[in-house]
Amino acid sequence: MDALELAISPDGTPANPVLVVALDAWAGEPHDRIERAARSLAGSLRLTIGTLRHPAPPSLAPLLRAVTLTLAETAHPATTIVDCPDPDAALKHLEEAVRRNPRASVALGRLLRQTTVPDTFAGLGAEASVYSMLLAGSEFRRWLAARGGPKPINFPDRPLVRLDRDGELLSVVLDHPERRNALSFRLREELLEALRLAELDPGIGRVLLRGSGPVFCSGGDLDEFGTAHDVVAAYLVRLERAPWRIIDRLRDRVSAHVQGACIGAGIEMAAFAGRLVATPETFFRLPEIEMGLVPGAGGTVSIPRRIGRWRAAWMMLTGDRIDTATALRWNLIDAVEGSAIC
């Protein structure tokens, strides 16, 4: 049982954030022992990383569900497994990423167990709490200092969100290509108002969310990071001024078409849409852990709903790029533009 306990140094840094679980060794164990181990793993604050060298028998299902994620060389349709050519290299890569920001990583592991719930608002509340807390943390402050702190942004003298109406179809276009459609405070507010219009107008039957230029959305505007000085206010704003809440409420009417970089808030918001289509060259990435943060635009809710908590944990902990082919195989997207199934 001691192996499951998170050791914390006097300054609050997790000393042993990752626990590797060799799942093959559990094959053939009695069901009740597997169930007890699964409950213990699910209750640990440590990031529990399963490894598989052979195909998993059905008896291991409780352990696969309980761990943070499982790495395996063999391709598997189960969302609990991240298949990779070299599980040993993948494990080392993950451990190195966690070591750089262990506090945010451990917080993310626990958060993902709280946000995979049917109640979207409850999940977003948990996410906003953890994100806002981490804004006051040492890992985020270190990242912000290395970047030089917030920087002024020169906004164009035009709306950053463009609306085009064609009958019952409302096209909502992120229109700040000069900054790769980064989700700045101003763009977020304009997007919120556009989606509120779609929600309130009964004549709008379909909403198409797009981004102008070569990039759909490069995530939050990094030049604004560090401007929040009150984490309680940040929590309230993140919940109340969240366009992704409306995308979720309208999901049966919303399609998102993405291209180029779909990073951070870009994929987090788009994943709430009922239908998500990408161009062949699109890539997806969740880099927040590198900043000492967790996804904060609804991604800990929207992305696990599409690909499962386990593969979402891999994307979020490592910050690795996911290409369109993997995104389609994992069901992060519904179709590729130009393909027969689009």
Side-chain angles (χ1 to χ4, degrees):
M1 187 62 66
D2 289 346
L4 295 174
E5 294 180 359
L6 180 69
I8 302 177
S9 67
D11 71 348
T13 300
N16 59 342
V18 175
L19 172 66
V20 180
V21 183
L23 295 176
D24 294 286
W26 287 83
E29 289 291 330
H31 177 73
D32 60 342
R33 184 163 184 258
I34 288 176
E35 288 284 357
R36 286 197 304 272
R39 287 193 295 270
S40 297
L41 288 168
S44 176
L45 274 178
R46 299 183 71 183
L47 298 167
T48 50
I49 310 303
T51 60
L52 276 174
R53 308 295 174 183
H54 307 285
S59 62
L60 292 185
L63 291 174
L64 292 171
R65 290 193 299 267
V67 296
T68 304
L69 62 91
T70 294
L71 299 170
E73 183 176 351
T74 305
H76 199 286
T79 59
T80 53
I81 293 177
V82 177
D83 53 281
C84 44
D86 186 343
D88 291 330
L91 177 60
K92 182 180 179 181
H93 173 53
L94 186 147
E95 289 179 317
E96 289 173 349
V98 171
R99 193 177 301 116
R100 288 190 289 270
N101 289 290
R103 298 179 186 182
S105 298
V106 168
L108 173 69
R110 182 48 46 181
L111 175 62
L112 285 172
R113 297 179 186 271
Q114 298 174 262
T115 53
T116 50
V117 292
D119 185 340
T120 297
F121 193 63
L124 292 178
E127 178 186 279
S129 296
V130 174
Y131 184 95
S132 301
M133 171 189 70
L134 290 171
L135 288 174
S138 61
E139 293 172 351
F140 174 67
R141 290 199 304 269
R142 184 184 68 225
W143 173 85
L144 188 64
R147 197 174 184 279
K151 299 175 176 62
I153 301 173
N154 294 317
F155 289 105
D157 187 21
R158 68 167 196 275
L160 301 184
V161 174
R162 188 175 74 245
L163 301 181
D164 298 315
R165 179 78 179 266
D166 183 8
E168 68 163 11
L169 173 64
L170 178 69
S171 292
V172 179
V173 184
L174 310 183
D175 194 22
H176 197 188
E178 301 93 333
R179 293 192 66 82
R180 296 160 58 90
N181 296 323
L183 190 71
S184 60
F185 170 83
R186 182 177 152 191
L187 190 147
R188 185 197 70 203
E189 289 296 306
E190 291 186 25
L191 178 60
L192 177 63
E193 292 308 311
L195 293 168
R196 281 177 169 171
L197 169 66
E199 188 173 37
L200 294 173
D201 188 339
I204 296 174
R206 294 182 296 140
V207 178
L208 175 61
L209 180 62
R210 298 186 294 116
S212 64
V215 167
F216 172 70
C217 177
S218 59
D221 197 314
L222 299 185
D223 284 350
E224 290 186 341
F225 278 48
T227 57
H229 301 295
D230 184 328
V231 295
V232 178
Y235 163 78
L236 295 174
V237 168
R238 192 153 293 275
L239 270 182
E240 185 60 30
R241 311 299 295 176
W244 38 94
R245 286 178 60 190
I246 301 180
I247 297 174
D248 179 64
R249 291 201 293 264
L250 298 177
R251 61 181 299 106
D252 291 340
R253 290 192 275 157
V254 178
S255 295
H257 285 232
V258 301
Q259 76 281 351
C262 195
I263 300 174
I267 182 54
E268 296 175 55
M269 293 190 301
F272 277 114
R275 182 167 175 80
L276 176 52
V277 179
T279 59
E281 76 281 359
T282 304
F283 69 88
F284 308 88
R285 186 167 179 259
L286 295 163
E288 290 86 354
I289 285 291
E290 297 172 9
M291 308 171 196
L293 299 172
V294 296
T300 64
V301 177
S302 62
I303 292 173
R305 286 181 180 176
R306 284 182 167 268
I307 69 174
R309 166 174 66 80
W310 308 269
R311 288 171 174 171
W314 170 261
M315 286 187 67
M316 295 173 189
L317 288 169
T318 65
D320 281 4
R321 284 190 180 198
I322 300 297
D323 61 22
T324 300
T326 302
L328 185 63
R329 182 166 58 87
W330 283 7
N331 295 319
L332 179 60
I333 61 175
D334 298 300
V336 178
E337 189 175 292
S339 71
I341 61 172
C342 182

